[in-house]
């Protein structure tokens, strides 16, 4: 219809990337009954059904039982393989029956300022939500938890519920893990999001999986 024609065009490759990414992204629910506890997002990184998410989601959930929900509404108990609070990353594992398609990871140092990206996750429990933007800056110094880290800055909307979800490029490769708690010297910013760069994510995930199986 005419209303669709009036909308800003979205590059076709981003539509394809979104379709490929959403099935590998899950909602993460920690502790609490009937919605109490903490929620966020995560995504599958390998065929063993390991899922990367933000550690602060587990911390806020009081380390209660972890459940993940797939984009098609199935729920699975998740085991916490390991946690790395210093970099705000954690790895979960779900049963093989979940059959989550792992998301491809971008090569280190391949991300460029200005390239289009999608943040995928479950803000406000709205599973499979996609927001689009560009890479606004690389190697941005931000505060995550008690430490300073370099992050990918984006203008794609990152809300608390899609924290832990992937930031993906137009090829559908993960360039970072969205983290809603990153700030610049204690100020949260509207319209600015930060993601933990993929090379750090891969290193941390490999270490946790190596330790915890």
């Amino acid at each position: 219809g005419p209303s669709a024609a009036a909308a800003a065009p979205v590059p076709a490759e981003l539509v394809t990337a979104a379709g490929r990414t959403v099935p590998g992204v899950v909602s993460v629910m920690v502790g609490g009954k009937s919605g109490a506890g903490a929620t966020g997002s995560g995504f599958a990184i390998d065929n063993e059904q390991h899922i990367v998410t933000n550690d602060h989601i587990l911390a806020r959930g009081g380390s209660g039982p972890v459940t993940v929900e797939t984009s098609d509404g199935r729920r699975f108990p998740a085991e916490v393989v390991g946690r790395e609070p210093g970099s705000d990353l954690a790895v979960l594992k779900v049963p093989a029956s979940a059959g989550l398609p792992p998301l491809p990871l971008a090569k280190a140092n391949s991300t460029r300022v200005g390239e289009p990206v999608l943040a995928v996750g479950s803000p406000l429990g709205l599973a499979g939500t996609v927001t689009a933007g560009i890479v606004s800056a690389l190697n941005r110094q931000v505060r995550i938890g008690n430490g300073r880290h370099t992050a990918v800055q984006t203008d794609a909307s990152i809300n608390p519920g899609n924290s832990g979800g992937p930031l993906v490029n137009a090829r559908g490769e993960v360039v970072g893990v969205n983290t809603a708690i990153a700030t610049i010297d204690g100020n949260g910013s509207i319209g600015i999001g930060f993601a933990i760069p993929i090379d750090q994510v891969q290193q941390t995930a490999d270490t946790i999986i190596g330790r915890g199986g």
Side-chain angles (χ1 to χ4, degrees), residues 137-204:
L138 297 168
N139 305 317
R140 188 67 88 197
Q141 288 293 314
V142 298
R143 194 181 291 281
I144 298 176
N146 304 324
R148 291 188 163 284
H149 294 275
T150 59
V152 178
Q153 183 184 327
T154 178
D155 63 349
S157 295
I158 295 175
N159 300 296
N162 61 356
S163 200
L167 187 70
V168 302
N169 62 23
R171 293 182 295 281
E173 299 164 337
V174 182
V175 301
V177 172
N178 303 320
T179 180
I181 63 167
T183 57
I184 297 178
D185 292 333
N187 294 316
S189 304
I190 305 295
I192 295 181
F194 297 102
I196 303 161
I198 196 57
D199 42 346
Q200 191 194 337
V201 173
Q202 183 150 31
Q203 206 177 346
T204 303

Side-chain angles (χ1 to χ4, degrees), residues 17-45:
R20 279 204 211 109
T21 303
V22 166
V25 177
V26 296
S27 300
V28 177
M29 292 154 285
V30 187
K33 291 185 173 57
S34 67
T39 59
S41 303
F43 61 96
I45 54 159

Side-chain angles (χ1 to χ4, degrees), residues 70-107:
T70 62
S71 63
D72 57 7
R74 294 173 300 141
R75 286 192 175 197
F76 296 92
E79 165 204 345
V80 178
V81 177
R83 298 173 56 177
E84 192 52 74
S87 50
D88 194 27
L89 292 167
V91 176
L92 310 174
K93 189 174 184 177
V94 291
S97 55
L100 297 170
L103 301 187
L105 309 183
K107 291 181 183 62

